[in-house]
Amino acid sequence: MNAAGRPYSLAWAALGVVYVLWGSTYLANRFVIAELPPLFASGVRFLVGGSLLGLLVLVFSGPRAFRMTWPQFGTTALAGLLLPAWGNGLVTIAQQNVASGLAALLIASVPMWIVVLRALTGDRPRRATVGGVGLGVAGLALLLLAGPSAGSGGVFGNAWWGPWLVLIAAVGWASGTFATTRMPAPASPFALAAGQMLIGGAILLAGSVLVGDRPDLAAVDPRAWWAWAYMAVVVSLVAFSAYAYALALLPVSTVATYAYVNPVIAVLLGVLVAGERFSALQLAGGAVVLLAVVVVVASERPRKRQGELATSPP
């Protein structure tokens, strides 16, 4: 039991929900983008998810939860650009030519990029942390240079630029996460999440219009709609609420373990459900990346700042 009388078993159950739901988003994306343009699908998803979360915030906290200063709004807007729009948007585009499991392994590098950003802004990471980042770079090199293999492609095949685009998405996601820990943020994390989803969704939808997306909604396979609804409602609301609950009761370092559990779940789901396959070199690279994330998260435990490594994936 914690100080408020809530059992830690519920917090661990909530963390388990985060493991499974966030780990499954890559497979769900695969089903969605097979039928819908990626920018359109992601944009509408975040607009719906942000609206639902915003409505819940209004019901339970009232309009005052959305009161922000201009600097706080600027942080929310920047987070919307870098997290849902840049991070998720690029991943969904890349998954047209990258397997869902491979995309998850590349996104697992986010904690390492956050360490790099900290070092660039004057922080001095521990030697173990630096070693973990170096190990992660080696793993990423294996993943990026291994080349495509049968079964490791996306919905429409393989492309050399696909993994690189996911890596750029990871850098954007890390930048957005890092910025929100250093800039003025709204008092309510739920209001921040709702705002960034709405802003990110609007940016993605604008991008969809600019590239000329004209989806034939009547011809979309029902499985794609179910996958889209799952991400827009279940993942956006349930997973984030479970994450916030777990973070309130468990150490940040414990919650941050999602960074190396989610990719494993994504790979297993991709193999079992979508028939994805990986070469020995790709699997070795993925294992090295996950080991590096374990090293980075573990080495940061004693002095890690709230939220710096406990980041939510696309």
Side-chain angles (χ1 to χ4, degrees):
M1 304 286 286
N2 76 327
R6 289 175 290 186
Y8 280 113
S9 59
L10 290 180
W12 277 103
L15 185 56
V17 169
V18 172
Y19 287 161
V20 174
L21 294 188
W22 278 351
S24 67
T25 56
Y26 299 90
L27 179 64
N29 256 338
R30 184 181 180 104
F31 288 116
V32 171
I33 62 176
E35 299 285 335
L36 291 167
L39 294 180
F40 173 84
S42 296
V44 179
R45 166 202 166 187
F46 282 115
L47 287 176
V48 171
S51 298
L52 291 174
L53 182 58
L55 182 61
L56 290 177
V57 172
L58 286 174
V59 169
F60 289 102
S61 299
R64 66 181 182 278
F66 286 99
R67 291 175 184 168
M68 305 180 192
T69 63
W70 281 110
Q72 290 172 337
F73 177 77
T75 301
T76 304
L78 181 63
L81 170 64
L82 293 175
L83 298 176
W86 180 332
N88 184 270
L90 293 184
V91 168
T92 53
I93 293 173
Q95 276 195 255
Q96 295 177 105
N97 291 279
V98 175
S100 58
L102 181 56
L105 290 171
L106 290 166
I107 287 294
S109 65
V110 165
M112 294 183 290
W113 294 120
I114 292 177
V115 171
V116 172
L117 290 170
R118 286 171 46 199
L120 292 175
T121 54
D123 196 356
R124 296 186 64 182
R126 297 180 172 183
R127 290 184 179 179
T129 303
V130 174
V133 172
L135 186 64
V137 170
L140 290 173
L142 285 175
L143 284 174
L144 292 169
L145 301 178
S149 63
S152 68
V155 175
F156 303 118
N158 274 305
W160 68 268
W161 50 264
W164 290 94
L165 193 60
V166 178
L167 194 61
I168 294 172
V171 173
W173 198 270
S175 300
T177 302
F178 181 74
T180 55
T181 65
R182 300 299 180 96
M183 297 172 63
S188 169
F190 294 98
L192 172 63
Q196 70 186 33
M197 280 196 285
L198 289 171
I199 292 171
I203 293 172
L204 288 166
L205 203 55
S208 175
V209 172
L210 288 175
V211 299
D213 287 338
R214 288 180 174 79
D216 184 0
L217 301 183
V220 175
D221 189 291
R223 290 182 302 176
W225 284 124
W226 282 112
W228 180 88
Y230 168 75
M231 289 197 297
V233 179
V234 178
V235 174
S236 296
L237 295 181
V238 178
F240 184 83
S241 299
Y243 173 78
Y245 185 81
L247 196 58
L249 297 180
L250 298 174
V252 178
S253 57
T254 299
V255 179
T257 57
Y258 84 86
Y260 44 87
V261 175
N262 287 357
V264 174
I265 292 177
V267 169
L268 291 175
L269 289 176
V271 169
L272 295 175
V273 179
E276 296 176 352
R277 297 292 182 269
F278 305 96
S279 68
L281 195 57
Q282 287 174 323
L283 290 175
V288 172
V289 168
L290 294 182
L291 177 60
V293 174
V294 172
V295 171
V296 169
V297 171
S299 66
E300 289 293 293
R301 282 184 178 179
R303 65 175 191 180
K304 181 171 53 189
R305 298 182 182 181
Q306 180 82 7
E308 283 205 344
L309 290 181
T311 61
S312 55

